[in-house]
Amino acid sequence: MITLIKNATIFPVTYPSFVGDILIKDSTISELGIHLSVEDNAENIKIIDATGHFVFPGFIDAHTHLGMYNEGVGWEGKDTNELTQPVAPFLRAIDSVNPQDIAFKEALSHGITAVQVLPGSFNPIGGLTSVIKTHGSNISDMIVRANNSLKIALGENPKSKHKLTRMGIMGLIRKAFIDAMTKEETFENVSLKRVLRKEIPIRVHAHQANDILSIIRLAEEFDLDLRIEHCTEGHLIVDELVKNNPFVTVGPTMSARSKYETRYKTFETYKVLSDAGINISITTDHPYMEVRYL
């Protein structure tokens, strides 16, 4: 099957937008260009006149709980946070994902073709994240990267759920890494050892400036590959972030300031960090803001 999209305003990933054509062969984009054509004798040709329309790559939401907080149900559809223990690096987000969640269809219909799904933020160490496609009915067929990073969380969420202080949270995380460094590999610590070998990064829920600085110190202490999630007060410490140059995922911003540590939430964060040269992604943190609004 050949599809030719004509006269669209095309937004490629790596160079500026232009008005032109897209040639698709057997579900794969084979060529972008201007005045593209197909052989007159080619069979199964579909030509789409996209004059006045825009064509974007599929959007990626870097931080969601898609299919882990199922829509339209209560406790029976919430499989994001495992509260039986505060440190659980052996958990996998992918084991909770329900591809039949209606949010997957909404994501696809709004152009979001891939997401990262993460354990929740109630545990100081919550388990492994996964990158998946939003199309499919069997999670095994949707996986892009099964074990992409290790979720860590600081601040109000683990404080409130496990009756910890900020120093208690950091102490548990530090102890887990030191134990992994000094003990043989087990089911419980294999993910921590992978982090220590820099095979996967840590992806850290941190809103407040002091929490962001705490995790930067820990990443330096153990020489870890760091990703900061939410980074709500990042614009207040931009110079410190520039020194360490982590990847940052900002959001959800188009939602209420639901707790103290989000009191400085602002769309200016994106501009301040981006202007400073920091690599940023944008997240809805679905379901806290619906993924379709990415």
Side-chain angles (χ1 to χ4, degrees):
M1 178 69 184
I2 296 174
T3 300
L4 181 60
I5 301 174
K6 298 285 293 181
N7 305 316
T9 301
I10 301 167
F11 289 80
V13 174
T14 55
Y15 51 93
S17 62
F18 68 98
V19 176
D21 309 331
I22 304 172
L23 183 62
I24 303 169
K25 295 181 179 180
D26 297 325
S27 301
T28 300
I29 294 175
S30 63
E31 190 176 358
L32 301 179
I34 299 172
H35 305 308
L36 299 182
S37 61
V38 293
E39 300 83 359
D40 290 339
N41 60 351
E43 298 181 356
N44 298 320
I45 301 172
K46 180 179 181 181
I47 297 177
I48 299 172
D49 182 4
T51 302
H53 295 275
F54 303 94
V55 179
F56 295 91
F59 290 104
I60 302 168
D61 196 324
H63 180 126
T64 76
H65 309 287
L66 198 68
M68 301 176 76
Y69 270 113
N70 289 260
E71 295 198 20
V73 295
W75 66 269
E76 64 274 23
K78 293 181 179 179
D79 290 300
T80 312
N81 292 289
E82 180 57 54
L83 294 179
T84 54
Q85 59 190 96
V87 175
F90 48 85
L91 300 177
R92 302 193 314 162
I94 208 163
D95 292 328
S96 278
V97 175
N98 174 19
Q100 278 69 48
D101 182 5
I102 193 172
F104 278 97
K105 291 182 179 178
E106 291 192 339
L108 268 177
S109 68
H110 286 78
I112 297 97
T113 56
V115 299
Q116 181 163 213
V117 289
L118 296 85
S121 52
F122 289 176
N123 290 347
I125 301 180
L128 292 162
T129 78
S130 299
V131 179
I132 61 174
K133 294 290 186 180
T134 53
H135 173 71
S137 57
N138 181 341
I139 193 67
S140 296
D141 299 329
M142 299 161 67
I143 295 170
V144 177
R145 190 174 296 163
N147 301 316
N148 188 57
S149 54
L150 183 67
K151 173 68 180 291
I152 288 175
L154 308 184
E156 293 179 31
N157 286 7
K159 269 172 59 72
S160 63
K161 297 303 176 181
H162 293 283
K163 295 182 172 58
L164 293 163
T165 61
R166 280 183 161 83
M167 63 182 175
I169 293 167
M170 293 301 296
L172 285 175
I173 296 168
R174 187 171 284 108
K175 181 180 185 301
F177 279 111
I178 290 174
D179 286 349
M181 291 172 66
T182 57
K183 295 179 180 178
E184 65 181 30
E185 187 168 291
T186 65
F187 171 72
E188 284 78 10
N189 70 22
V190 62
S191 297
L192 295 166
K193 285 184 175 290
R194 291 192 66 200
V195 169
L196 290 165
R197 294 193 296 264
K198 286 192 172 180
E199 295 174 4
I200 57 174
I202 53 171
R203 196 166 289 275
V204 184
H205 167 112
H207 286 280
Q208 204 162 277
N210 60 325
D211 290 325
I212 296 168
L213 294 176
S214 289
I215 203 60
I216 288 174
R217 287 196 303 275
L218 185 128
E220 289 177 340
E221 179 181 346
F222 291 97
D223 189 25
L224 308 179
D225 187 358
L226 173 62
R227 309 286 189 270
I228 299 173
E229 305 296 297
H230 305 304
C231 205
T232 303
E233 293 187 4
H235 59 284
L236 303 180
I237 52 169
V238 64
D239 291 341
E240 293 299 320
L241 288 172
V242 167
K243 287 180 191 175
N244 294 274
N245 196 30
F247 288 88
V248 173
T249 301
V250 184
T253 310
M254 199 162 61
S255 58
R257 296 176 178 88
S258 57
K259 50 190 175 182
Y260 180 77
E261 64 187 10
T262 61
R263 64 198 181 281
Y264 295 126
K265 182 190 290 190
T266 171
F267 279 101
E268 283 298 305
T269 306
Y270 302 92
K271 176 173 172 51
V272 170
L273 298 188
S274 181
D275 286 350
I278 294 170
N279 290 300
I280 65 168
S281 301
I282 301 171
T283 179
T284 62
D285 194 18
H286 179 93
Y288 297 101
M289 191 176 98
E290 290 180 68
V291 68
R292 59 196 173 114
Y293 294 128
L294 182 62

mmCIF file of all heavy atoms in Angstrom, residues 156 166 207-211 232-233 235-236 252 255-267 269:
data_model
loop_
_atom_site.group_PDB
_atom_site.id
_atom_site.type_symbol
_atom_site.label_atom_id
_atom_site.label_comp_id
_atom_site.label_asym_id
_atom_site.label_seq_id
_atom_site.Cartn_x
_atom_site.Cartn_y
_atom_site.Cartn_z
ATOM 1 N N GLU A 156 6.638 15.803 49.483
ATOM 2 C CA GLU A 156 5.418 15.616 50.253
ATOM 3 C C GLU A 156 4.790 14.235 50.098
ATOM 4 O O GLU A 156 4.236 13.693 51.059
ATOM 5 C CB GLU A 156 4.391 16.688 49.870
ATOM 6 C CG GLU A 156 4.792 18.094 50.275
ATOM 7 C CD GLU A 156 3.757 19.120 49.865
ATOM 8 O OE1 GLU A 156 2.559 18.785 49.827
ATOM 9 O OE2 GLU A 156 4.153 20.263 49.568
ATOM 10 N N ARG A 166 12.210 14.560 55.278
ATOM 11 C CA ARG A 166 13.051 14.634 54.080
ATOM 12 C C ARG A 166 14.391 13.941 54.307
ATOM 13 O O ARG A 166 14.908 13.255 53.434
ATOM 14 C CB ARG A 166 13.251 16.091 53.655
ATOM 15 C CG ARG A 166 12.056 16.646 52.878
ATOM 16 C CD ARG A 166 12.275 18.070 52.401
ATOM 17 N NE ARG A 166 11.346 18.390 51.331
ATOM 18 C CZ ARG A 166 10.082 18.786 51.516
ATOM 19 N NH1 ARG A 166 9.614 18.912 52.745
ATOM 20 N NH2 ARG A 166 9.302 19.038 50.473
ATOM 21 N N HIS A 207 9.595 18.434 43.245
ATOM 22 C CA HIS A 207 8.975 19.723 42.938
ATOM 23 C C HIS A 207 9.767 20.884 43.532
ATOM 24 O O HIS A 207 10.057 21.869 42.861
ATOM 25 C CB HIS A 207 7.557 19.778 43.518
ATOM 26 C CG HIS A 207 6.552 18.976 42.779
ATOM 27 N ND1 HIS A 207 5.947 19.413 41.617
ATOM 28 C CD2 HIS A 207 6.014 17.759 43.047
ATOM 29 C CE1 HIS A 207 5.090 18.498 41.184
ATOM 30 N NE2 HIS A 207 5.113 17.488 42.041
ATOM 31 N N GLN A 208 10.088 20.774 44.800
ATOM 32 C CA GLN A 208 10.616 21.885 45.583
ATOM 33 C C GLN A 208 12.119 22.029 45.374
ATOM 34 O O GLN A 208 12.844 21.048 45.203
ATOM 35 C CB GLN A 208 10.298 21.635 47.062
ATOM 36 C CG GLN A 208 10.237 22.881 47.917
ATOM 37 C CD GLN A 208 9.505 22.623 49.223
ATOM 38 O OE1 GLN A 208 8.278 22.670 49.250
ATOM 39 N NE2 GLN A 208 10.227 22.343 50.284
ATOM 40 N N ALA A 209 12.610 23.267 45.436
ATOM 41 C CA ALA A 209 14.014 23.543 45.121
ATOM 42 C C ALA A 209 14.971 22.745 45.999
ATOM 43 O O ALA A 209 15.969 22.208 45.515
ATOM 44 C CB ALA A 209 14.287 25.043 45.260
ATOM 45 N N ASN A 210 14.684 22.656 47.312
ATOM 46 C CA ASN A 210 15.609 21.932 48.184
ATOM 47 C C ASN A 210 15.634 20.443 47.863
ATOM 48 O O ASN A 210 16.680 19.786 47.987
ATOM 49 C CB ASN A 210 15.282 22.172 49.660
ATOM 50 C CG ASN A 210 13.887 21.734 50.049
ATOM 51 O OD1 ASN A 210 12.953 21.842 49.257
ATOM 52 N ND2 ASN A 210 13.727 21.251 51.266
ATOM 53 N N ASP A 211 14.509 19.885 47.431
ATOM 54 C CA ASP A 211 14.495 18.477 47.022
ATOM 55 C C ASP A 211 15.299 18.270 45.739
ATOM 56 O O ASP A 211 16.010 17.269 45.590
ATOM 57 C CB ASP A 211 13.058 17.993 46.821
ATOM 58 C CG ASP A 211 12.297 17.878 48.128
ATOM 59 O OD1 ASP A 211 12.923 17.519 49.140
ATOM 60 O OD2 ASP A 211 11.081 18.143 48.140
ATOM 61 N N THR A 232 9.203 21.744 39.533
ATOM 62 C CA THR A 232 8.300 22.887 39.607
ATOM 63 C C THR A 232 9.013 24.172 40.004
ATOM 64 O O THR A 232 8.678 25.253 39.516
ATOM 65 C CB THR A 232 7.161 22.585 40.593
ATOM 66 O OG1 THR A 232 6.499 21.389 40.162
ATOM 67 C CG2 THR A 232 6.154 23.712 40.656
ATOM 68 N N GLU A 233 9.989 24.076 40.895
ATOM 69 C CA GLU A 233 10.723 25.268 41.326
ATOM 70 C C GLU A 233 12.082 25.381 40.638
ATOM 71 O O GLU A 233 12.973 26.100 41.095
ATOM 72 C CB GLU A 233 10.893 25.252 42.847
ATOM 73 C CG GLU A 233 9.580 25.398 43.598
ATOM 74 C CD GLU A 233 9.748 25.556 45.100
ATOM 75 O OE1 GLU A 233 10.897 25.640 45.582
ATOM 76 O OE2 GLU A 233 8.729 25.598 45.806
ATOM 77 N N HIS A 235 12.941 26.981 38.060
ATOM 78 C CA HIS A 235 13.271 28.343 37.635
ATOM 79 C C HIS A 235 13.876 29.171 38.764
ATOM 80 O O HIS A 235 14.497 30.202 38.516
ATOM 81 C CB HIS A 235 12.014 29.042 37.088
ATOM 82 C CG HIS A 235 10.890 29.121 38.071
ATOM 83 N ND1 HIS A 235 10.096 28.037 38.373
ATOM 84 C CD2 HIS A 235 10.436 30.154 38.831
ATOM 85 C CE1 HIS A 235 9.186 28.398 39.264
ATOM 86 N NE2 HIS A 235 9.377 29.670 39.563
ATOM 87 N N LEU A 236 13.708 28.718 40.019
ATOM 88 C CA LEU A 236 14.276 29.438 41.161
ATOM 89 C C LEU A 236 15.747 29.099 41.387
ATOM 90 O O LEU A 236 16.452 29.832 42.089
ATOM 91 C CB LEU A 236 13.482 29.114 42.434
ATOM 92 C CG LEU A 236 11.975 29.408 42.398
ATOM 93 C CD1 LEU A 236 11.338 29.035 43.726
ATOM 94 C CD2 LEU A 236 11.716 30.878 42.065
ATOM 95 N N PRO A 252 2.847 18.529 35.583
ATOM 96 C CA PRO A 252 1.819 19.174 34.761
ATOM 97 C C PRO A 252 1.595 20.607 35.214
ATOM 98 O O PRO A 252 1.449 20.858 36.413
ATOM 99 C CB PRO A 252 0.582 18.314 35.020
ATOM 100 C CG PRO A 252 0.769 17.826 36.424
ATOM 101 C CD PRO A 252 2.252 17.640 36.606
ATOM 102 N N SER A 255 -2.766 22.653 35.567
ATOM 103 C CA SER A 255 -3.602 22.037 36.604
ATOM 104 C C SER A 255 -3.456 22.858 37.870
ATOM 105 O O SER A 255 -2.608 23.752 37.962
ATOM 106 C CB SER A 255 -3.173 20.585 36.850
ATOM 107 O OG SER A 255 -1.817 20.516 37.238
ATOM 108 N N ALA A 256 -4.251 22.539 38.877
ATOM 109 C CA ALA A 256 -4.277 23.336 40.095
ATOM 110 C C ALA A 256 -2.994 23.186 40.903
ATOM 111 O O ALA A 256 -2.294 22.174 40.814
ATOM 112 C CB ALA A 256 -5.469 22.911 40.958
ATOM 113 N N ARG A 257 -2.696 24.214 41.715
ATOM 114 C CA ARG A 257 -1.615 24.114 42.696
ATOM 115 C C ARG A 257 -2.164 23.358 43.902
ATOM 116 O O ARG A 257 -2.615 23.951 44.870
ATOM 117 C CB ARG A 257 -1.124 25.508 43.069
ATOM 118 C CG ARG A 257 -0.497 26.259 41.911
ATOM 119 C CD ARG A 257 -0.112 27.688 42.297
ATOM 120 N NE ARG A 257 0.537 28.381 41.197
ATOM 121 C CZ ARG A 257 -0.130 29.062 40.258
ATOM 122 N NH1 ARG A 257 -1.454 29.117 40.297
ATOM 123 N NH2 ARG A 257 0.531 29.667 39.282
ATOM 124 N N SER A 258 -2.103 22.030 43.819
ATOM 125 C CA SER A 258 -2.857 21.177 44.748
ATOM 126 C C SER A 258 -2.146 20.957 46.075
ATOM 127 O O SER A 258 -2.737 20.400 46.996
ATOM 128 C CB SER A 258 -3.122 19.823 44.082
ATOM 129 O OG SER A 258 -1.901 19.213 43.700
ATOM 130 N N LYS A 259 -0.874 21.367 46.200
ATOM 131 C CA LYS A 259 -0.157 21.174 47.454
ATOM 132 C C LYS A 259 0.912 22.250 47.601
ATOM 133 O O LYS A 259 1.260 22.942 46.636
ATOM 134 C CB LYS A 259 0.454 19.775 47.525
ATOM 135 C CG LYS A 259 1.268 19.362 46.316
ATOM 136 C CD LYS A 259 1.630 17.891 46.382
ATOM 137 C CE LYS A 259 2.327 17.441 45.114
ATOM 138 N NZ LYS A 259 2.657 16.012 45.137
ATOM 139 N N TYR A 260 1.462 22.349 48.793
ATOM 140 C CA TYR A 260 2.385 23.428 49.122
ATOM 141 C C TYR A 260 3.565 23.481 48.165
ATOM 142 O O TYR A 260 3.957 24.566 47.709
ATOM 143 C CB TYR A 260 2.878 23.243 50.561
ATOM 144 C CG TYR A 260 3.847 24.310 51.011
ATOM 145 C CD1 TYR A 260 3.389 25.587 51.362
ATOM 146 C CD2 TYR A 260 5.212 24.055 51.081
ATOM 147 C CE1 TYR A 260 4.264 26.577 51.781
ATOM 148 C CE2 TYR A 260 6.107 25.040 51.492
ATOM 149 C CZ TYR A 260 5.627 26.289 51.835
ATOM 150 O OH TYR A 260 6.507 27.267 52.238
ATOM 151 N N GLU A 261 4.132 22.327 47.830
ATOM 152 C CA GLU A 261 5.349 22.321 47.019
ATOM 153 C C GLU A 261 5.108 22.684 45.558
ATOM 154 O O GLU A 261 6.064 22.788 44.792
ATOM 155 C CB GLU A 261 6.072 20.978 47.137
ATOM 156 C CG GLU A 261 5.308 19.797 46.607
ATOM 157 C CD GLU A 261 6.010 18.465 46.909
ATOM 158 O OE1 GLU A 261 6.974 18.457 47.692
ATOM 159 O OE2 GLU A 261 5.567 17.444 46.360
ATOM 160 N N THR A 262 3.849 22.904 45.164
ATOM 161 C CA THR A 262 3.566 23.392 43.802
ATOM 162 C C THR A 262 3.115 24.855 43.807
ATOM 163 O O THR A 262 2.580 25.338 42.812
ATOM 164 C CB THR A 262 2.487 22.521 43.124
ATOM 165 O OG1 THR A 262 1.271 22.581 43.884
ATOM 166 C CG2 THR A 262 2.949 21.082 43.000
ATOM 167 N N ARG A 263 3.358 25.550 44.903
ATOM 168 C CA ARG A 263 2.853 26.927 45.048
ATOM 169 C C ARG A 263 3.483 27.892 44.036
ATOM 170 O O ARG A 263 2.904 28.921 43.718
ATOM 171 C CB ARG A 263 3.097 27.429 46.470
ATOM 172 C CG ARG A 263 4.561 27.557 46.862
ATOM 173 C CD ARG A 263 4.738 27.628 48.382
ATOM 174 N NE ARG A 263 6.133 27.771 48.778
ATOM 175 C CZ ARG A 263 7.011 26.764 48.819
ATOM 176 N NH1 ARG A 263 6.634 25.545 48.461
ATOM 177 N NH2 ARG A 263 8.253 26.963 49.210
ATOM 178 N N TYR A 264 4.667 27.569 43.503
ATOM 179 C CA TYR A 264 5.329 28.435 42.534
ATOM 180 C C TYR A 264 5.198 27.898 41.108
ATOM 181 O O TYR A 264 5.982 28.269 40.230
ATOM 182 C CB TYR A 264 6.807 28.606 42.889
ATOM 183 C CG TYR A 264 7.036 29.336 44.205
ATOM 184 C CD1 TYR A 264 7.816 28.771 45.212
ATOM 185 C CD2 TYR A 264 6.477 30.584 44.427
ATOM 186 C CE1 TYR A 264 8.022 29.428 46.417
ATOM 187 C CE2 TYR A 264 6.676 31.257 45.626
ATOM 188 C CZ TYR A 264 7.453 30.672 46.619
ATOM 189 O OH TYR A 264 7.647 31.331 47.804
ATOM 190 N N LYS A 265 4.220 27.047 40.879
ATOM 191 C CA LYS A 265 4.015 26.503 39.539
ATOM 192 C C LYS A 265 3.732 27.628 38.541
ATOM 193 O O LYS A 265 2.893 28.502 38.775
ATOM 194 C CB LYS A 265 2.844 25.529 39.552
ATOM 195 C CG LYS A 265 2.563 24.867 38.216
ATOM 196 C CD LYS A 265 1.260 24.098 38.227
ATOM 197 C CE LYS A 265 1.341 22.852 39.083
ATOM 198 N NZ LYS A 265 0.151 21.990 38.883
ATOM 199 N N THR A 266 4.436 27.600 37.401
ATOM 200 C CA THR A 266 4.262 28.642 36.394
ATOM 201 C C THR A 266 4.739 28.138 35.039
ATOM 202 O O THR A 266 5.683 27.339 34.956
ATOM 203 C CB THR A 266 5.043 29.920 36.772
ATOM 204 O OG1 THR A 266 5.023 30.833 35.660
ATOM 205 C CG2 THR A 266 6.490 29.613 37.115
ATOM 206 N N PHE A 267 4.132 28.647 33.966
ATOM 207 C CA PHE A 267 4.595 28.314 32.627
ATOM 208 C C PHE A 267 5.953 28.951 32.318
ATOM 209 O O PHE A 267 6.619 28.563 31.364
ATOM 210 C CB PHE A 267 3.563 28.757 31.584
ATOM 211 C CG PHE A 267 2.428 27.797 31.435
ATOM 212 C CD1 PHE A 267 1.202 28.053 32.034
ATOM 213 C CD2 PHE A 267 2.567 26.629 30.712
ATOM 214 C CE1 PHE A 267 0.149 27.164 31.905
ATOM 215 C CE2 PHE A 267 1.527 25.737 30.577
ATOM 216 C CZ PHE A 267 0.307 26.001 31.179
ATOM 217 N N THR A 269 8.566 28.452 33.894
ATOM 218 C CA THR A 269 9.606 27.453 34.141
ATOM 219 C C THR A 269 10.167 26.916 32.838
ATOM 220 O O THR A 269 11.385 26.772 32.671
ATOM 221 C CB THR A 269 9.049 26.288 34.987
ATOM 222 O OG1 THR A 269 8.460 26.817 36.173
ATOM 223 C CG2 THR A 269 10.159 25.306 35.372
#
